[in-house]
Amino acid sequence: MKFGYFDDTRKEYVITSPKTPLPWINYLGSESFFSLVSNTCGGYSFYKDAKLLRLTRYRYNNVPYDSNGHYYYIKDGDTIWNPGWMPSKTELDTYCCRHGLGYSVFEASKNGLSAVLTDFVPVGASCEVNKLTLTNMSKGLKEIDLFSYVEFCLWNAMDDMTNFQRNFSTGEVEVHGSEIYHKTEYRERRNHYAVFAVNAPIDGFDTDRDTFLGAYGENSAPAVVVNGKSGDSVASGWAPVGSHHLKITLQPGESRDLIFVLGYVENKPEEKWVGLNQINRAPALALLEKFNTVEKADAALAELASYWENLLSHFSVSSEEKKLDRMVNIWHQYQCMVTFNMSRSASYFESGIGRGMGFRDSCQDLLGFVHLIPDRARERILDIAATQFEDGSAYHQYQPLTKKGNADIGSGFNDDPLWLIAATATYIKETGDYTILDERTPYDNDDSKATDFMEHLRRSFLYTVTHLGSHKLPLIGRADWNDCLNLNCFSEEPGESFQTFGPSEGPVAESIFIAGMFVRYGKDYVTICRHRGLEEEAVEAEKAIAAMEKAVIEAGWDGEWFMRAYDAHGDKVGSKDCEEGKIFIEPQGFCVMAEIGKDQGLCQKSMESVEKYLDTKYGIVLLQPCYTKYHVELGEITSYPGGYKENAGIFCHNNPWISIAETVIGRGDRAWQVYTRTCPAYLEEISEVHRTEPYVYSQMIAGKDAPNFGEAKNSWLTGTAAWTFLNVSQFILGIRPDYDGLMIDPCIPKNLKGFEVARTFRGIDYHIEVLNPEHVEKGIAKLIVDGKEVSGNTIPFDSNMVGKSVHVTAVMG
């Protein structure tokens, strides 16, 4: 069952019913100011940091779903309705929501009145703009009352939800004409405030929530709206809100446009005030001036469209497979950008208060993002590295506002250091910029301990070398990629954090997944060393990599697949000897990507085992058989019911690892099958089962052991976005940046006749035509660059061609 459709021309997903299985959201913003908006106008806004600078409230896990947002109430006679259906939930005559790239449009009508709400965050401005167009489609006069509404958050979202003994006494506002200022805590330690304004004279306002809603009132029918008259309330303590009241008269066929702006403003400490408790409104007025007419708002929307058009032009594909084109050209890359901006912090599922930016997460996000804005990728890599410790380990998370490590979570996740090598190698392959290695970069944000960035990579590599267990495999620490496999936790008390309970130093549990990572990304480290002229170091690194490969084959191969780990007792995890959890997805993907045992046939056997034991129609499950009892020696992974999350759920994040691994052994048909089984565009027809948005990836799909097999959760902010784009663009389509040039190495289903790709790489526009006349799955028989045949499958980078176009024909065979 579908709840909408793709409009590829407009690059939109059009939702035709407000009653989607879950809120289907969009992200607005690309720099510092962000808003989340659902298909019913639910959501919230923040500046840079969803925890520390939250502008508006959103009620997670509430009933009904999607409570609180950026609402407009229309009172037409006795009928009250909203353009996004919520929160009044009045049955509408027509409805659609169009989620586009950085904007959303809500089109609705009721009783001969049409409302079109366009919602976006402009490029280069710290605000959200709402353009509301009301049109009288009836034959009679329309006299309506319009009420805007936002509920302000008291900045720190965690404190806002918990510290009521303080927060019920701190709310402060100022009202100046059509401008409502949320200045809570501005008198003391804050230099910022929020402004909510409309570009028209108003007939009333409210800033006190209790007045607006009424005693025991609720958002679905606020007292002020029901009565058709604002209270002109000024919040003093309690909960501040922002609401404008406009009386609007429309002749038959007449339209009225209004521009509402919700903005964030900062003042210098010495410029905070213009009088006693009178805030300096000058920067707010300058901000509002930019969008105070329809023409200015439309121009800003056009600029936003150009911004995204330019970003997405760096990579596009044209093929006979339109769903592939749709995802690669629009939604994959869009989700990669959103995930880069948000990491794992702010969504319908993530409250924005606990996770901040993940060290591992943000490094992985770069894999799918670096080709879009390399300069920002470079900046992000250096920000991440600055949270590293001197021994090469790292804070597992950091806050985006402060860029400081999160001490509450701490370190000890032993795969983290290697992800820094992965991200850096990806950046250098894309840009050819080795100067990043010379950047002075601190440890734990202490500039007195700064070294060049190359030293950070060295310590990342050596951290694994110096943290090996009895099988010569890497120690897992608190956890590796799978944060829920906690081999050193041993928690038996409810409420303890599996990730932070127990020691992070000293335990002997080992990870074969990290071993696969070390081999794969260690090879990149060797290449970087050689480019720096560090031949002796490169040779030593190669010896360590060879020793790790040997250890994996001798201690990590289980006969048909790679084992997952050794626990703290030295017992096998992910082995045929185990009662439950005999085979895991992670080591199969990474050990095969690292080509460990490829010549001995181990990679082929591993992939055959994945297909035999882990495959389902909705994707590859994380493990089998699922755990049916709690194993204290394994931790959180065994705490979930079978088929959910890490306990045999379909983790979409690591399905691309298997697809990439299949390209390593040349099985294009299988790589394609794995790709399509979790790709949203191929799941649109089962939206009632899948439930999350059909235009973006989710973190997890319930596995075959779950009663709700096929149901997705935790959409948008997931490493699945970057990994899947990496998979489809660089390994299936095979257009892969390398240190010395652009590699053409497709691995496709044999029935695909070919495709065309436009790819900007280091300032050169490549137009690549791939032909598959022999219907093979992998292999380039001929590579022609601007009419000249080139040996091999890599186009050497030629700086003389920067700014020019290059035509490439690759013939598979």
Side-chain angles (χ1 to χ4, degrees):
M1 178 181 177
K2 298 202 300 184
F3 296 85
Y5 60 89
F6 287 96
D7 185 336
D8 294 336
T9 301
R10 292 171 121 174
K11 297 182 175 65
E12 295 175 345
Y13 191 83
V14 182
I15 301 168
T16 54
S17 168
K19 300 176 185 178
T20 49
L22 291 169
W24 285 1
I25 71 170
N26 195 12
Y27 283 82
L28 315 180
S30 55
E31 296 161 319
S32 298
F33 190 99
F34 300 97
S35 292
L36 282 67
V37 60
S38 76
N39 59 301
T40 64
C41 288
Y44 60 94
S45 302
F46 62 94
Y47 180 76
K48 288 187 177 180
D49 192 310
K51 175 183 178 181
L52 300 179
L53 289 176
R54 182 81 66 89
L55 270 73
T56 57
R57 285 183 178 142
Y58 186 73
R59 292 181 170 81
Y60 288 88
N61 301 313
N62 210 345
V63 178
Y65 277 143
D66 211 20
S67 295
N68 235 33
H70 202 146
Y71 295 137
Y72 295 93
Y73 297 87
I74 298 169
K75 187 174 189 294
D76 183 6
D78 294 329
T79 302
I80 297 170
W81 60 283
N82 305 89
W85 184 64
M86 283 280 280
S88 297
K89 292 185 283 187
T90 303
E91 199 67 31
L92 300 171
D93 295 336
T94 63
Y95 162 90
C96 83
C97 167
R98 297 170 15 224
H99 282 326
L101 304 182
Y103 70 90
S104 291
V105 179
F106 303 84
E107 300 174 351
S109 65
K110 182 70 177 178
N111 297 338
L113 182 67
S114 163
V116 179
L117 174 63
T118 303
D119 189 4
F120 67 100
V121 170
V123 177
S126 298
C127 67
E128 177 186 342
V129 175
N130 283 189
K131 174 188 171 184
L132 180 62
T133 301
L134 300 172
T135 303
N136 182 1
M137 302 184 300
S138 73
K139 296 181 181 179
L141 186 72
K142 285 281 187 183
E143 293 181 339
I144 63 172
D145 292 285
L146 174 70
F147 296 87
S148 65
Y149 181 69
V150 296
E151 182 177 0
F152 293 115
C153 181
L154 304 184
W155 300 115
N156 184 317
M158 173 65 88
D159 187 78
D160 180 76
M161 292 190 294
T162 55
N163 192 4
F164 300 121
Q165 63 85 24
R166 171 176 168 79
N167 293 340
F168 283 163
S169 299
T170 58
E172 283 192 278
V173 298
E174 279 186 30
V175 181
H176 298 273
S178 302
E179 306 149 22
I180 296 171
Y181 293 88
H182 164 41
K183 62 175 188 178
T184 302
E185 293 190 345
Y186 187 75
R187 285 189 301 109
E188 35 163 316
R189 293 165 293 178
R190 297 187 181 276
N191 300 327
H192 53 258
Y193 56 79
V195 59
F196 184 36
V198 60
N199 68 336
I202 57 176
D203 296 288
F205 65 87
D206 277 290
T207 64
D208 175 69
R209 189 180 67 187
D210 287 355
T211 301
F212 182 78
L213 296 179
Y216 298 93
E218 53 190 60
N219 285 353
S220 60
V224 159
V225 178
V226 172
N227 295 332
K229 182 175 174 55
S230 290
D232 294 342
S233 57
V234 177
S236 181
W238 295 105
V241 301
S243 174
H244 306 92
H245 176 203
L246 295 96
K247 292 181 176 294
I248 297 173
T249 300
L250 294 173
Q251 298 292 333
E254 185 183 2
S255 294
R256 174 84 183 274
D257 293 309
L258 296 163
I259 308 297
F260 293 84
V261 175
L262 174 67
Y264 171 90
V265 177
E266 287 184 356
N267 280 320
K268 295 178 181 179
E270 65 274 17
E271 297 175 357
K272 287 178 64 171
W273 307 101
V274 294
L276 181 62
N277 288 334
Q278 292 290 305
I279 62 175
N280 178 4
R281 296 158 49 218
L285 296 175
L287 175 67
L288 298 175
E289 173 83 18
K290 294 179 180 179
F291 311 104
N292 62 358
T293 68
V294 170
E295 291 75 19
K296 291 178 183 179
D298 288 346
L301 186 61
E303 182 184 8
L304 179 67
S306 296
Y307 169 85
W308 281 106
E309 193 71 31
N310 176 62
L311 276 186
L312 299 186
S313 68
H314 297 305
F315 190 107
S316 62
V317 62
S318 176
S319 75
E320 62 202 55
E321 192 69 28
K322 295 308 172 189
K323 292 178 181 178
L324 167 70
D325 297 358
R326 168 187 300 150
M327 292 305 300
V328 170
N329 298 343
I330 306 170
W331 297 101
H332 272 174
Q333 297 188 75
Y334 182 48
Q335 188 176 3
C336 283
M337 266 296 293
V338 169
T339 306
F340 169 81
N341 286 325
M342 303 290 135
S343 191
R344 307 293 177 271
S345 64
S347 72
Y348 171 69
F349 296 93
E350 295 288 356
S351 62
I353 59 176
R355 298 188 69 180
M357 310 291 283
F359 189 100
R360 168 205 305 152
D361 296 333
S362 296
C363 284
Q364 289 180 90
D365 291 341
L366 282 156
L367 306 182
F369 161 82
V370 64
H371 70 290
L372 294 172
I373 309 182
D375 289 347
R376 288 185 66 188
R378 189 182 200 274
E379 179 186 3
R380 176 62 58 82
I381 290 171
L382 295 172
D383 285 346
I384 294 168
T387 67
Q388 196 173 18
F389 295 114
E390 290 179 271
D391 67 353
S393 64
Y395 279 114
H396 194 51
Q397 298 169 2
Y398 70 96
Q399 283 302 127
L401 184 66
T402 64
K403 298 182 181 179
K404 297 292 182 66
N406 184 344
D408 291 340
I409 301 298
S411 63
F413 297 75
N414 282 359
D415 61 320
D416 277 346
L418 291 174
W419 290 114
L420 187 63
I421 297 175
T424 305
T426 300
Y427 170 77
I428 292 175
K429 289 176 184 178
E430 178 67 36
T431 63
D433 174 23
Y434 286 89
T435 65
I436 189 173
L437 303 174
D438 299 315
E439 287 285 344
R440 297 289 293 176
T441 310
Y443 296 90
D444 196 11
N445 282 283
D446 184 346
D447 288 326
S448 69
K449 299 176 180 178
T451 66
D452 64 24
F453 182 72
M454 181 65 195
E455 180 64 23
H456 281 259
L457 297 186
R458 180 176 294 113
R459 296 185 190 188
S460 292
F461 183 82
L462 292 178
Y463 184 84
T464 301
V465 173
T466 57
H467 288 75
L468 302 178
S470 60
H471 299 89
K472 305 302 181 184
L473 295 165
L475 296 175
I476 196 170
R478 295 199 187 280
D480 58 22
W481 174 88
N482 187 339
D483 289 326
C484 295
L485 184 63
N486 313 118
L487 304 183
N488 298 306
C489 178
F490 302 102
S491 175
E492 296 184 287
E493 295 297 324
E496 291 175 339
S497 167
F498 289 100
Q499 277 75 57
T500 60
F501 182 79
S504 64
E505 295 293 333
V508 296
E510 299 166 272
S511 168
I512 292 158
F513 165 80
I514 297 179
M517 271 193 76
F518 180 79
V519 173
R520 176 170 169 80
Y521 296 125
K523 295 172 185 176
D524 283 308
Y525 180 70
V526 168
T527 301
I528 292 170
C529 284
R530 287 211 160 98
H531 186 274
R532 300 278 286 187
L534 303 171
E535 181 59 29
E536 186 177 335
E537 189 171 344
V539 171
E540 289 302 309
E542 286 178 323
K543 290 178 182 178
I545 293 166
M548 190 69 76
E549 287 189 83
K550 184 173 183 289
V552 171
I553 292 171
E554 291 181 351
W557 179 252
D558 204 48
E560 291 184 74
W561 57 80
F562 295 97
M563 293 191 328
R564 181 63 175 87
Y566 284 92
D567 68 18
H569 304 297
D571 295 328
K572 297 176 179 178
V573 180
S575 164
K576 61 181 180 294
D577 298 336
C578 300
E579 179 185 355
E580 299 174 331
K582 294 176 181 289
I583 176 173
F584 283 68
I585 188 175
E586 303 103 299
Q588 317 317 319
F590 253 86
C591 289
V592 175
M593 284 195 283
E595 301 186 9
I596 296 176
K598 183 180 179 182
D599 293 341
Q600 299 98 305
L602 304 191
C603 294
Q604 180 88 14
K605 287 182 181 178
S606 169
M607 291 298 96
E608 290 171 353
S609 294
V610 168
E611 191 169 4
K612 180 178 180 180
Y613 299 111
L614 300 178
D615 231 20
T616 80
K617 64 180 180 179
Y618 294 131
I620 300 167
V621 296
L622 192 141
L623 62 86
Q624 278 293 295
C626 69
Y627 292 105
T628 59
K629 57 185 178 182
Y630 177 58
H631 293 254
V632 68
E633 77 281 7
L634 301 181
E636 185 176 356
I637 192 170
T638 62
S639 71
Y640 291 104
Y644 292 110
K645 292 282 282 183
E646 285 82 353
N647 188 13
I650 299 164
F651 241 79
C652 301
H653 186 144
N654 48 35
N655 270 241
W657 300 351
I658 300 301
S659 186
I660 294 171
E662 291 287 4
T663 71
V664 168
I665 61 174
R667 301 206 303 183
D669 283 333
R670 174 63 177 158
W672 177 257
Q673 183 186 62
V674 173
Y675 166 69
T676 56
R677 282 185 173 172
T678 59
C679 181
Y682 290 87
L683 302 174
E684 185 187 14
E685 298 288 346
I686 59 162
S687 290
E688 81 283 3
V689 175
H690 198 63
R691 301 192 74 197
T692 56
E693 298 93 334
Y695 42 92
V696 292
Y697 284 89
S698 297
Q699 178 203 65
M700 171 239 153
I701 299 171
K704 60 184 180 181
D705 299 295
N708 298 324
F709 179 35
E711 177 188 58
K713 291 180 182 176
N714 298 72
S715 61
W716 274 100
L717 301 183
T718 164
T720 309
W723 270 107
T724 304
F725 187 74
L726 186 78
N727 171 38
V728 70
S729 64
Q730 296 192 22
F731 293 91
I732 293 178
L733 298 177
I735 313 302
R736 186 158 67 249
D738 206 358
Y739 293 102
D740 298 320
L742 190 64
M743 186 181 296
I744 314 298
D745 186 27
C747 187
I748 59 177
K750 64 175 75 75
N751 64 355
L752 192 62
K753 299 174 185 177
F755 54 88
E756 295 181 12
V757 166
R759 175 63 152 96
T760 301
F761 175 66
R762 300 186 192 174
I764 303 172
D765 293 327
Y766 290 92
H767 299 274
I768 304 163
E769 182 181 19
V770 176
L771 305 176
N772 189 19
E774 303 299 322
H775 298 285
V776 300
E777 295 175 73
K778 191 178 175 74
I780 295 295
K782 184 182 294 186
L783 185 63
I784 302 169
V785 181
D786 276 345
K788 297 179 181 179
E789 189 166 343
V790 175
S791 61
N793 66 348
T794 299
I795 307 166
F797 174 69
D798 182 355
S799 60
N800 294 318
M801 297 303 293
V802 172
K804 299 179 181 179
S805 295
V806 174
H807 187 272
V808 180
T809 300
V811 182
M812 297 181 68

